Amino acid sequence: MIAVLDFGMGNIHSLLKAVSLYTDKFEFTSDLDKIRKADKIILPGDGHFDKAMENLNASGFSEVLKEHVAANKPLLGICIGYQVLFEDSDETSKKGQLIGGLGFIRGKIRKFEGKPSLTKVPHMGWNKLFEIKAKSTKLLKGIQNESFMYFIHSYRPVGVDRTDATANCRYYGESFPAVVEKGSVFGTQFHPEKSDKLGLQIIKNFIEL
């Protein structure tokens, strides 16, 4: 069974619809027992890092996710679910403070810094994937370089190990990791469920792991 985690972050209707195209063995749930028993977990959502981690910690989900990964069971983080896979973020109303993440992937979540006169934040809309590591990726099987995916975010990971990033994207005058894969942990900064046929292929690839 695939558990799509209900932790109060954003609209997940399109994700549930996408998952249902490839399996009926899934549930959108906040039940800790069901999540513990899941073969795979999808961590979706839109919103702020600090609120996401507050919800995960308060509900006990953080510990369950760590147990899941320690058991080498697949986990897919999408958008804010991608960002919380990293060590910490400065996306908080508490000036000067950092909010700890799950720490599955080495890297920090920081706001885009570049030339505001050239581009806008948030990074919203269609953009291309580059430098896809075809030989090492499981999530991007069948996805070619320069494939378009749908993004909406103001923060991105920095200081990520090159071996963990299996695809990058370019925005705000820089390249940033758009997909990470480390052991049983997978993540996409973009929304595959909103990225047409190629995005749905990514959902399918995860389900078939």
Side-chain angles (χ1 to χ4, degrees):
M1 191 271 285
I2 299 173
V4 181
L5 206 62
D6 177 7
F7 69 116
M9 299 303 293
N11 183 5
I12 52 79
H13 176 74
S14 56
L15 175 62
L16 297 179
K17 184 176 180 181
V19 172
S20 72
L21 294 174
Y22 305 107
T23 182
D24 57 2
K25 296 179 181 179
F26 73 96
E27 187 171 347
F28 180 52
T29 182
S30 60
D31 186 304
L32 287 173
D33 288 334
K34 290 181 179 179
I35 297 165
R36 279 194 173 94
K37 294 175 183 177
D39 301 305
K40 299 182 180 75
I41 294 176
I42 299 178
L43 184 60
D46 297 311
H48 294 274
F49 190 102
D50 56 352
K51 182 61 176 176
M53 286 307 304
E54 179 185 334
N55 290 359
L56 290 171
N57 290 333
S59 60
F61 292 155
S62 293
E63 290 306 312
V64 174
L65 289 169
K66 290 174 183 178
E67 292 170 8
H68 183 87
V69 171
N72 202 36
K73 294 194 287 186
L75 168 66
L76 172 62
I78 296 172
C79 196
I80 196 64
Y82 168 76
Q83 294 189 359
V84 298
L85 300 177
F86 293 89
E87 295 172 288
D88 63 44
S89 174
D90 61 0
E91 186 181 15
T92 174
S93 58
K94 301 172 184 177
K95 189 174 180 180
Q97 292 192 21
L98 296 175
I99 305 298
L102 294 170
F104 297 141
I105 306 290
R106 191 176 78 85
K108 318 285 187 179
I109 301 300
R110 301 292 184 266
K111 196 168 186 177
F112 279 110
E113 296 178 359
K115 298 180 179 179
S117 61
L118 300 179
T119 47
K120 296 180 180 180
V121 173
H123 173 206
M124 183 184 299
W126 296 90
N127 205 345
K128 295 178 182 179
L129 298 183
F130 291 93
E131 302 169 328
I132 292 176
K133 297 178 181 176
K135 291 183 179 180
S136 59
T137 181
K138 297 177 181 178
L139 200 60
L140 300 177
K141 182 181 177 181
I143 308 299
Q144 303 299 317
N145 274 310
E146 301 195 26
S147 293
F148 279 94
M149 300 294 166
Y150 188 82
F151 292 81
I152 177 168
H153 62 118
S154 299
Y155 291 72
R156 84 299 190 207
V158 299
V160 179
D161 287 338
R162 290 185 179 182
T163 54
D164 296 337
T166 52
N168 294 317
C169 183
R170 296 170 188 158
Y171 193 69
Y172 221 64
E174 66 176 81
S175 175
F176 67 90
V179 181
V180 292
E181 303 180 42
K182 183 177 182 180
S184 66
V185 178
F186 302 82
T188 67
Q189 178 61 77
F190 54 87
H191 286 273
E193 76 279 10
K194 297 179 181 180
S195 299
D196 204 28
K197 292 180 180 179
L198 293 178
L200 292 178
Q201 179 63 47
I202 293 172
I203 298 291
K204 183 173 185 285
N205 288 345
F206 179 75
I207 290 171
E208 293 179 349
L209 284 173

